[in-house]
Amino acid sequence: MVEGNGAVGTQAALTKKDFESDQEVRWCPGCGDYAILSAVQSVMPTLGIEPHKVVVVSGIGCSSRFPYYMNTYGMHSIHGRAATIATGLATARPDLSVWVVTGDGDALAIGGNHLIHTLRRNVNLTILMFNNQIYGLTKGQLSPTSERGKVTKSTPFGSVDQPFNPIALALGAEGTFVARALAVDRPHLTGVLSRAAAHRGTSFIEVYQNCNIFNDGAFDMLTDKAHKVQNQIRLEHGKPIRFGERDERAVVQLRDGSLKIVEAGSVAEGEILVHDEHRGEPSLAFALAHLSTGPTMPTPIGIFRDVERPVYGDDVERQLVAAQAKLGAGDLGKLLMSGDTWEVK
Amino acid sequence: MTQKTVQEVHRVVIRFAGDSGDGMQLTGDRFSTATAVFGNDLSTLPDFPAEIRAPAGSLFGVSGFQIHFSDEDILTPGDRANVLVAMNPAALKTSLVDLAPAGVIIANSDAFTEKNLERAGYSSNPLKDDSLSGYQVYEIPMTAMTLEAAASVEGLTKKEAERGKNMFALGLVSWMYSRPTDVTERWIQKKFGGKPAVMAGNLAAFRAGHAFGETAGLFAAQYVVKPASNAPGRYRNVTGNAATAWGLVAASGQAGLPLFFASYPITPASDILHELSRLKNFGVRTFQAEDEIAAAGAAVGGAFGGHLSATATSGPGMDLKEEALGLAAILELPLVVVDVQRAGPSTGLPTKTEQGDLMIAMYGRHGEAPVPVIAPRSPADCFGAAIEASRIALKYRTPVIVLSDGFLANSAEPWLIPDPASLPDISIAFATEPNHDGEFWPYLRDENLARPLAVPGTRGLQHRIGGLERADGRGNVSHDPANHERMIRMRAAKVAKIADDIPPLEVDDPSQSAEILVIGWGSSWGAIREACRRVRDAGKKVARAHLFYLNPFPRNTGEVLRRYQRVLVPEMNNGQLVKLIRAEFLVDAKSFAKAQGLPFRAGDIETEILKRV
């Protein structure tokens, strides 16, 4: 039973099937989105929230077809604006579990402003941002997460754009739950999804997702057998941050506060950074976000930050309750008569 | 004390003008309240600069407030003022054009310094040369007299004392027009209750102004404007923005749905957000968004959640909200969008009024996306407009645009306070059961072509809606060409059908034989009506109609237009309704367009009508 994400849970035995709609899924064969959809559908029944209490809101882009495939309430909305619609819905209806499904273009380019303000307010939403580092639905232009130098249809001479670091952006916007997962690593992804759903406030999950048509192999260094062990830095709360085939590499903090990857054997065990998701002060999480400048090198995976902060909709509700307790339920007749009035006989 | 004569007059227009920091809006507002409580009918026109505190003494920093009050019904804030209270040379210079011949000028002579005269572009002091010989000029050292009146107040700085000069002016004009003083005094006591010295200073200034009028030999007469014979009942003054906010609250009650209001601050619409933000005990959730787009998006979210959902903005925000309006139109969700029009394009004249947004309301979205459009005609009419917009939005599951404007938003008029029990029931039924073979189909339609609304949280009715074209009935995404055309026509037919559910266009033609029809919309109602009254008083015939419903038009609109040989369409823009009328009804309607950021003067329209009768 999970109460974090809006809806109060139920004990009814639900299955993955309860969250699958009858619509034919229409992503390209081999698209990373299938794995995320399946993971979400398999996590939902474990949350104890019935399908009619769940709303999935999306923007525009490949990822944003997601709501059609969920047997929940859903809205496929406007490019970039899913967070605004979800904010209105979650504020009006704190009893619902509201999810936003978006992509790197939808959330970080046209919807960037809404994303940071949603995070700052800590609206009770779970945001899944599928990051494939490319525009898919418009057939292959660079996105705000595409690496410098990338040759695309709109950058035939290579991109001269500095990409966003989505985790750093979310932390900079005071995100209270910020995580990264891989579409292809289902056990890890479902674990992060469960934790995100349990978090009250805005949960932001960046999911690295391969676009096999326009940006195939973007995450190979993190996902293929030959490299993943060297490059995945698994963040686990309370544990020293080590990685590699034999945990031979480790993360340490330098005197200036920045982080560095070292050979584990070259430092004392006590010098290795111990991951603390619940650390209120965000600079260490921010430094972790900057350990990697892209998925082609050792990159942290997992929950960077999970802290408590007042939730927007909850405070809105509290003010309504307080006003009604103090003034009584609103009386239109009295309102219209307030101030200076006079009688004409 | 000199015994003054008391003269009865029927109508007076007073204009208070000063620096934007002189408190002219407050002075006008308090004079209006005292006038309303006294029982006169009135109409006001606040006219202020976009700068909050423009440089002192500058021409562009002049803030004015005009009030027209009478013993009979009032339709406009008055074409020309009978009395001008000028707190400095700049105020005199900018307002003189609005003063009637032989009008009264009450000038704060203390402010006519060399520096202020130069700032206003005067080469010599107009109070001293003979440039104002056509007017009755009273020079009063208001600043000095205000300071003197407050001299005995302890703990008051000179700056604070001097700021009371607007209360001196208010006291003086209150005496001149026999306004009750208790209303204003009570207000001063309440307003400055937390600052006893400031309260005492303001009270002293107000009383000094009043006493000065009574005792100084300057004024020969005091005037009385008897109460108007309005319909019996309890009245209050109301501005368009307050009436809009209260109308939304009333609609929420009449619909039995909580109100969700998302907005972004913008002149002149922000007061709607301010007012609704106070009313939390009515269950009103307000959301100040990060931008206009987010405000509209959040309102769509609130509507999907089953709340009565609304947003308010002005022209620049309207540009940005059209995206969400298009979405709400294809989703078929109820949404009220209030556009408090201001002079555009772009930032335009933010504090000045205009009727320039009719076309963006009608056609501002890409693709075929008709939405109902209505326009209130007076400040108090905004109350009913908000309820009617909500009724249409809920019943037909569509966004509805309300075209208010800066004039309606800020000006006030007496309002016979409605009995909440007399308001219409606008509640709708949400879907609670599957409607098609055990499934819920979100686009099966009723006799009004409206679709069922199932609110998230309703067990078993999960469904998906979206901005992609979909097949009617079941609502699945459909790229079928014939279906798309069918859906365009379906959405248009639904909006057009609302014409069956609204009253016919009324025509005011006492002669029953006029050859010319004057037809308008929105806030020009008062000026058009007053103009027609004058034309008729001059023995000429004119018919008049006013459109509250702009989309769809009332069913009889074409028939009404064709009944007259000539049709004149006055609008505060460059001619927009006239284009719709010509396109829709093939009538050779003529435009009378004025776009100076100010409401029409009745005299402007009167002249235009007289040219044609």
Side-chain angles (χ1 to χ4, degrees):
Chain A
M1 178 148 160
V2 177
E3 295 193 10
N5 198 275
V8 175
T10 169
Q11 301 298 335
L14 293 162
T15 67
K16 183 172 181 241
K17 271 232 152 336
D18 291 313
F19 292 89
E20 294 171 356
S21 79
D22 60 356
Q23 302 293 299
E24 185 192 345
V25 183
R26 288 196 190 179
W27 287 308
C28 305
C31 175
D33 290 356
Y34 285 94
I36 307 173
L37 174 65
S38 178
V40 170
Q41 286 169 335
S42 65
V43 162
M44 285 268 172
T46 69
L47 304 177
I49 305 168
E50 291 178 281
H52 68 277
K53 292 288 217 178
V54 178
V55 187
V56 183
V57 182
S58 66
I60 296 295
C62 293
S63 60
S64 289
R65 298 297 178 96
F66 200 93
Y68 291 120
Y69 310 133
M70 296 287 295
N71 184 32
T72 61
Y73 284 90
M75 188 193 292
H76 178 217
S77 72
I78 308 171
H79 200 22
R81 316 302 176 214
T84 72
I85 291 163
T87 292
L89 180 62
T91 305
R93 294 288 306 278
D95 59 312
L96 299 172
S97 173
V98 184
W99 297 61
V100 171
V101 176
T102 180
D104 42 316
D106 194 54
L108 298 177
I110 192 164
N113 193 36
H114 310 308
L115 178 70
I116 58 174
H117 287 278
T118 303
L119 288 160
R120 139 180 103 77
R121 288 190 190 99
N122 204 26
V123 182
N124 197 29
L125 302 173
T126 303
I127 301 176
L128 310 182
M129 192 197 81
F130 300 4
N131 184 5
N132 57 14
Q133 301 191 338
I134 198 80
Y135 277 68
L137 204 58
T138 52
K139 300 195 165 80
Q141 301 81 13
L142 93 157
S143 95
T145 54
S146 299
E147 66 276 16
R148 256 181 191 277
K150 187 170 198 69
V151 174
T152 73
K153 280 184 188 154
S154 58
T155 54
F157 299 98
S159 162
V160 292
D161 269 39
Q162 171 68 27
F164 264 138
N165 177 331
I167 298 292
L169 183 84
L171 290 167
E174 305 294 339
T176 54
F177 183 101
V178 180
R180 177 185 288 139
L182 304 166
V184 294
D185 187 341
R186 184 166 172 142
H188 181 260
L189 174 59
T190 53
V192 171
L193 287 170
S194 298
R195 287 281 309 278
H199 175 75
R200 199 154 177 88
T202 306
S203 309
F204 175 83
I205 310 172
E206 176 191 26
V207 187
Y208 279 156
Q209 166 254 325
N210 190 44
C211 173
N212 55 326
I213 305 296
F214 295 109
N215 200 19
D216 196 22
F219 306 103
D220 280 359
M221 297 301 281
L222 285 180
T223 56
D224 75 16
K225 270 214 170 98
H227 303 97
K228 68 178 181 186
V229 185
Q230 282 95 54
N231 289 326
Q232 283 188 18
I233 307 176
R234 296 293 186 122
L235 301 176
E236 288 179 69
H237 179 66
K239 293 196 178 160
I241 304 174
R242 304 178 68 140
F243 65 103
E245 211 162 334
R246 287 160 285 104
D247 272 353
E248 73 278 13
R249 306 181 78 187
V251 174
V252 296
Q253 187 167 25
L254 305 181
R255 279 176 185 278
D256 68 358
S258 64
L259 303 183
K260 193 181 174 194
I261 293 166
V262 296
E263 292 305 318
S266 70
V267 293
E269 184 66 25
E271 282 180 54
I272 299 173
L273 183 68
V274 175
H275 184 48
D276 180 3
E277 295 166 350
H278 308 309
R279 196 181 152 105
E281 199 275 322
S283 63
L284 206 53
F286 197 71
L288 271 174
H290 282 99
L291 258 186
S292 149
T293 57
T296 53
M297 61 180 74
T299 298
I301 305 295
I303 298 164
F304 287 72
R305 189 165 198 237
D306 178 8
V307 297
E308 298 284 317
R309 189 151 61 74
V311 175
Y312 182 77
D314 293 352
D315 282 353
V316 168
E317 215 58 25
R318 239 190 303 283
Q319 287 190 347
L320 291 195
V321 171
Q324 286 175 351
K326 190 177 165 199
L327 305 166
D331 178 332
L332 182 66
K334 272 192 199 156
L335 173 66
L336 300 183
M337 289 286 179
S338 62
D340 296 316
T341 67
W342 66 95
E343 188 80 26
V344 171
K345 300 222 161 120
Chain B
M1 193 197 288
T2 332
Q3 190 58 45
K4 303 281 170 99
T5 59
V6 176
Q7 288 179 19
E8 192 179 327
V9 286
H10 293 295
R11 56 178 64 236
V12 178
V13 178
I14 301 178
R15 187 177 179 85
F16 297 95
D19 255 337
S20 50
D22 276 347
M24 290 298 98
Q25 300 305 319
L26 199 66
T27 309
D29 186 57
R30 295 330 300 167
F31 190 82
S32 306
T33 301
T35 294
V37 170
F38 182 68
N40 292 135
D41 198 7
L42 65 91
S43 173
T44 69
L45 173 63
D47 178 21
F48 44 87
E51 294 76 16
I52 302 301
R53 290 280 184 279
S58 65
L59 289 170
F60 64 87
V62 172
S63 174
F65 188 103
Q66 188 160 312
I67 172 170
H68 182 189
F69 58 102
S70 169
D71 59 2
E72 52 188 13
D73 67 318
I74 293 264
L75 304 171
T76 74
D79 289 4
R80 289 184 184 281
N82 308 107
V83 179
L84 169 64
V85 178
M87 299 303 284
N88 69 9
L92 176 68
K93 189 161 201 184
T94 55
S95 305
L96 202 57
V97 289
D98 296 320
L99 189 62
V104 172
I105 296 170
I106 300 171
N108 176 16
S109 54
D110 288 336
F112 282 68
T113 59
E114 220 165 278
K115 203 171 172 187
N116 279 345
L117 287 164
E118 192 191 316
R119 279 179 184 146
Y122 279 117
S123 50
S124 71
N125 187 344
L127 302 178
K128 303 297 175 197
D129 61 29
D130 60 355
S131 61
L132 301 175
S133 58
Y135 305 96
Q136 304 170 53
V137 182
Y138 298 102
E139 291 176 51
I140 300 166
M142 294 192 210
T143 311
M145 293 180 77
T146 299
L147 286 173
E148 197 184 305
S152 61
V153 177
E154 272 183 41
L156 192 68
T157 66
K158 191 186 169 200
K159 199 175 167 190
E160 284 169 339
E162 194 184 324
R163 286 171 100 179
K165 64 182 184 291
N166 61 335
M167 288 297 124
F168 182 94
L170 181 60
L172 175 60
V173 182
S174 295
W175 170 81
M176 279 183 80
Y177 290 96
S178 314
R179 302 292 94 181
T181 54
D182 54 334
V183 187
T184 307
E185 294 206 357
R186 267 203 310 276
W187 175 81
I188 292 173
Q189 279 156 358
K190 198 173 160 197
K191 164 98 178 167
F192 302 109
K195 296 175 185 165
V198 177
M199 178 182 78
N202 275 282
L203 263 183
F206 177 71
R207 288 172 181 163
H210 198 272
F212 177 76
E214 205 167 52
T215 54
L218 217 49
F219 299 98
Q222 190 182 12
Y223 302 91
V224 163
V225 181
K226 286 195 169 162
S229 52
N230 282 326
R234 186 149 280 277
Y235 283 76
R236 65 169 304 129
N237 274 344
V238 72
T239 63
N241 275 348
T244 301
W246 295 342
L248 288 171
V249 172
S252 151
Q254 297 309 105
L257 298 175
L259 177 62
F260 182 77
F261 183 80
S263 195
Y264 182 77
I266 186 168
T267 302
S270 302
D271 280 342
I272 301 173
L273 173 63
H274 303 162
E275 181 59 22
L276 288 170
S277 302
R278 293 192 319 120
L279 303 177
K280 298 211 186 301
N281 62 321
F282 286 81
V284 179
R285 287 169 181 79
T286 53
F287 172 62
Q288 182 179 323
E290 60 271 20
D291 57 31
E292 296 278 0
I293 295 168
V300 169
F304 189 47
H307 286 216
L308 173 62
S309 208
T311 180
T313 187
S314 187
M318 219 31 211
D319 292 347
L320 297 168
K321 289 194 196 301
E322 289 289 359
E323 178 187 65
L325 267 159
L327 177 70
I330 195 169
L331 296 177
E332 301 184 55
L333 277 178
L335 178 68
V336 175
V337 178
V338 180
D339 175 6
V340 185
Q341 300 164 94
R342 70 190 215 192
S346 191
T347 308
L349 302 171
T351 60
K352 308 294 178 187
T353 196
E354 200 160 277
Q355 293 182 308
D357 296 356
L358 178 56
M359 286 304 190
I360 194 181
M362 290 292 294
Y363 302 118
R365 298 152 295 284
H366 68 275
E368 298 287 350
V371 303
V373 181
I374 63 175
R377 66 188 193 185
S378 74
D381 197 34
C382 293
F383 181 78
I387 298 174
E388 178 64 352
S390 304
R391 181 189 76 88
I392 294 173
L394 291 168
K395 184 170 174 181
Y396 296 92
R397 286 74 148 131
T398 175
V400 176
I401 297 173
V402 179
L403 290 176
S404 177
D405 64 32
F407 171 42
L408 296 184
N410 292 317
S411 68
E413 68 173 346
W415 181 36
L416 177 59
I417 301 168
D419 175 5
S422 69
L423 300 175
D425 176 1
I426 59 169
S427 61
I428 57 165
F430 289 123
T432 53
E433 300 286 334
N435 57 1
H436 190 275
D437 286 344
E439 293 181 7
F440 176 70
W441 284 21
Y443 291 92
L444 274 183
R445 292 168 193 281
D446 67 11
E447 66 282 6
N448 296 318
L449 304 180
R451 75 177 186 90
L453 293 176
V455 172
T458 312
R459 188 184 300 275
L461 305 192
Q462 295 96 291
H463 64 281
R464 276 65 57 192
I465 57 177
L468 280 173
E469 187 63 276
R470 43 75 214 314
D472 215 22
R474 194 167 182 204
N476 282 350
V477 171
S478 167
H479 296 286
D480 174 41
N483 171 74
H484 174 55
E485 188 176 74
R486 197 161 57 240
M487 291 311 302
I488 283 178
R489 294 196 175 143
M490 177 74 77
R491 290 186 285 264
K494 182 181 78 168
V495 172
K497 205 171 181 304
I498 295 168
D500 293 336
D501 193 20
I502 61 176
L505 179 61
E506 281 180 30
V507 181
D508 165 34
D509 181 8
S511 72
Q512 293 294 312
S513 59
E515 291 178 357
I516 181 168
L517 172 75
V518 183
I519 185 166
W521 65 280
S523 73
S524 54
W525 175 74
I528 294 173
R529 208 166 141 224
E530 173 66 21
C532 290
R533 189 152 81 178
R534 291 183 195 174
V535 169
R536 288 168 191 160
D537 286 350
K540 306 273 172 45
K541 293 172 190 168
V542 61
R544 186 188 60 80
H546 209 75
L547 286 162
F548 177 84
Y549 299 93
L550 293 155
N551 194 35
F553 286 127
R555 282 265 182 253
N556 64 335
T557 306
E559 186 268 313
V560 166
L561 291 164
R562 289 185 199 102
R563 223 186 280 164
Y564 297 90
Q565 289 174 24
R566 291 179 295 285
V567 175
L568 179 67
V569 189
E571 291 177 88
M572 287 141 50
N573 53 33
N574 208 23
Q576 298 195 8
L577 176 64
V578 72
K579 291 192 184 77
L580 295 180
I581 284 177
R582 292 173 71 100
E584 185 89 359
F585 303 108
L586 278 175
V587 166
D588 187 19
K590 302 288 186 207
S591 173
F592 171 48
K594 191 173 175 186
Q596 299 183 0
L598 289 166
F600 274 121
R601 288 181 174 142
D604 300 336
I605 301 171
E606 179 191 1
T607 308
E608 285 300 310
I609 300 171
L610 287 173
K611 278 187 208 162
R612 291 171 167 83
V613 290

